[in-house]
Amino acid sequence: MRKMKRVEDSRTENTYLIMNKHINSYGRLFGGVLMQWIDEMAGIVAHRHAGTIVTTACVDNLNFKAGAYLGNTVVLIGKMTYVGRTSMEVRIDTYVEDSDGMRKMINRAYEVMVALDENDNKVEVPGLIVETEAEKADLRHVTAFYMQEMLTGRKSLTSSGILAVFMSCVEIMTVTGPKSFQLHCDLK
């Protein structure tokens, strides 16, 4: 039987102080610096989930909503949103934190990470236990996104492959408690 892990098991939060080495000539955080921090965060989250070597397969989305400036405190929060057989999707939310602790989102990114063994072969990762309503909403969003990508031809699958994905996504659930369920949805 496949090992399972909770979303909370790999959730990670990092905090940074924006200093001169992080800013561009306009006094804002370099987008490339933030992208590095996001990629590092995704790697940490995926490694905690998979328990093995991971690599970035792609950045699905990187959406800059606002800037961060010299002296700002920036907080990145990463969590698992989807798990396939060997791949994992990690969402990284980035905030600027005020001196009173209030946070304003400045970026949301999604990265797909792949688990590897010491010979760079793909390896199976633990399944994902989805417990909270927010985690369930994340999983529904991700599943709908991948279905849309396949149906619009941006992800290549045969029509029988799309049907297989759809069928595997349809409530293959095991009840694990009153407020949680396990859902395994493989995109093969």
Side-chain angles (χ1 to χ4, degrees), residues 101-121:
M102 293 297 294
R103 293 178 176 178
K104 174 186 172 190
M105 183 181 285
I106 62 168
N107 189 288
R108 173 166 285 167
Y110 291 89
E111 287 202 23
V112 175
M113 308 297 288
V114 176
L116 303 171
D117 65 16
E118 60 280 345
N119 297 315
D120 287 342
N121 297 311

Side-chain angles (χ1 to χ4, degrees), residues 174-186:
T174 304
V175 176
T176 59
K179 293 191 174 184
S180 66
F181 66 86
Q182 299 174 0
L183 175 60
H184 173 66
C185 176
D186 252 338

Side-chain angles (χ1 to χ4, degrees), residues 2-175:
R2 187 177 188 188
K3 181 178 178 181
M4 302 296 287
K5 286 190 175 179
R6 300 173 323 125
V7 172
E8 199 60 30
D9 294 337
S10 58
R11 184 185 181 279
T12 304
E13 183 171 321
N14 283 345
T15 305
Y16 301 90
L17 175 64
I18 306 301
M19 299 187 295
N20 284 321
K21 66 182 179 180
H22 302 128
I23 62 172
N24 61 26
S25 60
Y26 303 107
R28 292 187 175 113
L29 174 63
F30 270 116
V33 170
L34 181 56
M35 290 168 62
Q36 176 185 341
W37 293 344
I38 288 168
D39 195 42
E40 290 170 355
M41 172 67 72
I44 292 167
V45 171
H47 181 269
R48 286 180 169 176
H49 185 82
T52 189
I53 301 165
V54 296
T55 190
T56 305
C58 72
V59 177
D60 267 355
N61 189 355
L62 186 64
N63 188 359
F64 293 95
K65 298 174 184 294
Y69 300 89
L70 184 63
N72 283 158
T73 300
V74 173
V75 179
L76 279 76
I77 300 173
K79 67 178 190 171
M80 198 65 56
T81 57
Y82 169 83
V83 172
R85 192 178 64 77
T86 62
S87 63
M88 302 156 280
E89 183 179 75
V90 180
R91 184 176 92 188
I92 304 95
D93 291 332
T94 306
Y95 302 88
V96 168
E97 186 175 81
D98 296 337
S99 57
D100 64 358
M102 293 297 294
R103 293 178 176 178
K104 174 186 172 190
M105 183 181 285
I106 62 168
N107 189 288
R108 173 166 285 167
Y110 291 89
E111 287 202 23
V112 175
M113 308 297 288
V114 176
L116 303 171
D117 65 16
E118 60 280 345
N119 297 315
D120 287 342
N121 297 311
K122 294 178 185 178
V123 295
E124 186 173 75
V125 297
L128 190 62
I129 300 171
V130 179
E131 298 173 300
T132 69
E133 289 304 316
E135 292 167 0
K136 291 174 189 176
D138 285 341
L139 186 58
R140 283 191 298 271
H141 171 77
V142 170
T143 303
F145 172 78
Y146 282 115
M147 288 299 295
Q148 181 66 27
E149 290 288 292
M150 287 182 283
L151 292 172
T152 59
R154 289 188 287 259
K155 295 253 189 248
S156 61
L157 277 182
T158 63
S159 57
S160 61
I162 291 172
L163 180 59
V165 168
F166 177 75
M167 294 307 291
S168 69
C169 291
V170 174
E171 310 283 323
I172 303 173
M173 289 193 284
T174 304
V175 176

